[in-house]
Amino acid sequence: MQVSQPIYMVCPHCKRPVAVTREQPYAHCAEHGNIVPMRSAVANSPLPRVLLEEANA
């Protein structure tokens, strides 16, 4: 079986990539806060910086 898309650690809600190491049980999604990441293909691109700044304001 050949994988057509690379597998990343993503948010299970929005499928955006998150930064996490294997030892960390949680990751931080800019949209959903602390989440338990899952291995999947990326379905949505990361949020633009402008939206991130508005969400944190």
Side-chain angles (χ1 to χ4, degrees):
M1 184 172 109
Q2 186 177 17
V3 177
S4 61
Q5 293 182 338
I7 303 298
Y8 296 97
M9 296 303 280
V10 300
C11 172
H13 307 289
C14 61
K15 302 292 190 294
R16 289 189 170 92
V18 294
V20 64
T21 62
R22 290 187 185 266
E23 296 81 29
Q24 291 177 299
Y26 299 100
H28 183 79
C29 172
E31 187 175 356
H32 298 102
N34 288 335
I35 51 99
V36 177
M38 64 181 254
R39 293 172 45 88
S40 177
V42 174
N44 297 306
S45 60
L47 290 174
R49 183 173 289 289
V50 174
L51 293 177
L52 291 174
E53 290 172 357
E54 289 176 2
N56 291 331

